[in-house]
Structures are given as C-alpha cells and as structure tokens.
C-alpha cells in the first residue's frame, strides 16, 4: 500500500539521518474507502494524486507550526504492507480527514518510493499560504484564496537516492 507522509525539509533531514520516518505513530495519507467515495473515481492515479495533495496540505500545516523551516512542502511516498496504515473509523465521514491514516510503526526510509518537494519558485506562495492558514481556517475568504495559491504549484519528484543533494 502506498502512503504519503507529510514533512518539512528539517523533518526530511532528520529522517535521512535516522534512516527512517518516525517516531511512531505517523500521520499519513492514502487511498482510503472514504477518499474513493468522495472523489467518485476508479482511476488509481487520480486517487493517488488526491492522497498526495492531502499530504501536501498537511505539510503546509507543519510549515505553519515551524516558522524556521524553509517554506517548501515535503511529502515522502512510502510503500507499507496492507493493514499497516489504518484510517480512524470515527472520522470516515469527516471531509477534513479524507485519506488520513495512521502508521503504528516507524517506516525505514528504504521503503520510500519517492520524495515530493516544492520548487524554489514556490517558496513565496507557500510562505504566504502558511501565514494565512489560521485565518483561512476561521473562514477568511481572502486567506483561503492565499492558501489555495500554494496548491497551484506542483510538487517536484525526487528519487530517494537524490536525498543527499536535495538536503
């Protein structure tokens, strides 16, 4: 099963140094039954992209909580055994929790399939989005527009072997 773990660049550096994503439990995103139902699609690529996008939004939240982190969203795609990622059944119908799963154990970085990171040219929009997140959560439409601006930037794909150069 492919899951998407939201991080920041400092979090990615820690994972690289430790050789694993952790400590557990880890919040991640995956193609869950609720995500499938919400997006009404059988196209696995579309659903995987939706899960990746949800993880990118969670990475933005991590950036908002860490003002010292470089303003670039980071998502690590990892493959875990079926059943290792569990969705909270009490939040299955909660739109804000679509695709959300929890991993009970740390994941070796060797299980990573790819790393997705914002390009340098996204930093200004991502910084503005992280700063506007609180107001957007409280219903400010202008702030929501700013947050949505970060989503206009596609995350770049990097192979795991490229981590040392990325960091």
């Amino acid at each position: 099963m492919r899951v998407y773990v939201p991080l920041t660049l400092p979090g990615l550096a820690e994972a690289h140094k430790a050789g694993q994503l952790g400590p557990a439990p880890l919040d991640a995103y995956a193609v869950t039954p609720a995500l499938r139902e919400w997006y009404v699609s059988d196209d696995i690529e579309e659903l995987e992209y939706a899960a990746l996008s949800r993880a990118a939004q969670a990475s933005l939240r991590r950036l908002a909580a860490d003002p010292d982190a470089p303003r670039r969203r980071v998502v690590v795609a990892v493959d875990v055994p079926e059943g290792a990622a569990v969705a909270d059944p009490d939040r299955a119908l909660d739109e804000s929790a679509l695709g959300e799963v929890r991993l009970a154990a740390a994941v070796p970085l060797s299980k990573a399939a790819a790393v997705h990171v914002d390009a340098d040219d996204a930093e200004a929009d991502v910084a503005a989005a992280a700063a506007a997140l609180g107001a957007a959560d409280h219903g400010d439409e202008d702030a929501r527009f700013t947050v949505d601006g970060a989503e206009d930037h596609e995350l770049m794909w990097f192979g795991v072997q490229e981590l040392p150069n990325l960091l």
Side-chain angles (χ1 to χ4, degrees), residues 29-30 32 34-35 38-39 54 91-92 94-100:
Y29 293 81
T32 61
L35 187 83
W38 180 260
Y39 281 91
R54 302 290 294 181
R91 297 191 67 199
D94 182 352
E95 186 180 329
S96 69
L98 289 174
E100 209 172 81

Side-chain angles (χ1 to χ4, degrees), residues 3-151:
V3 298
Y4 299 91
V5 180
L7 294 173
T8 61
L9 281 173
L12 182 61
E14 287 175 27
H16 180 63
K17 184 177 178 182
Q20 69 179 11
L21 296 165
L26 287 168
D27 292 326
Y29 293 81
V31 178
T32 61
L35 187 83
R36 281 182 189 277
E37 189 175 318
W38 180 260
Y39 281 91
V40 192
S41 175
D42 289 329
D43 184 337
I44 191 64
E45 287 185 22
E46 285 181 23
L47 293 167
E48 293 276 349
Y49 184 77
L52 171 65
S53 297
R54 302 290 294 181
Q57 292 168 359
S59 176
L60 182 65
R61 291 196 174 281
R62 288 176 181 239
L63 288 173
D66 184 358
D68 295 329
R71 307 283 93 178
R72 294 169 72 189
R73 298 168 297 164
V74 176
V75 176
V76 179
V78 295
D79 294 317
V80 299
E82 284 296 324
V86 179
D88 182 347
D90 293 333
R91 297 191 67 199
L93 299 177
D94 182 352
E95 186 180 329
S96 69
L98 289 174
E100 209 172 81
V101 294
R102 178 151 291 179
L103 300 167
V107 179
L109 210 48
S110 63
K111 299 291 183 189
V115 178
H116 302 271
V117 182
D118 275 312
D120 292 339
D121 66 351
E123 283 190 35
D125 288 339
V126 171
L133 202 52
D137 287 346
H138 287 97
D140 183 318
E141 289 301 318
D142 290 334
R144 181 80 246 157
F145 181 78
T146 301
V147 170
D148 290 345
E151 294 176 17

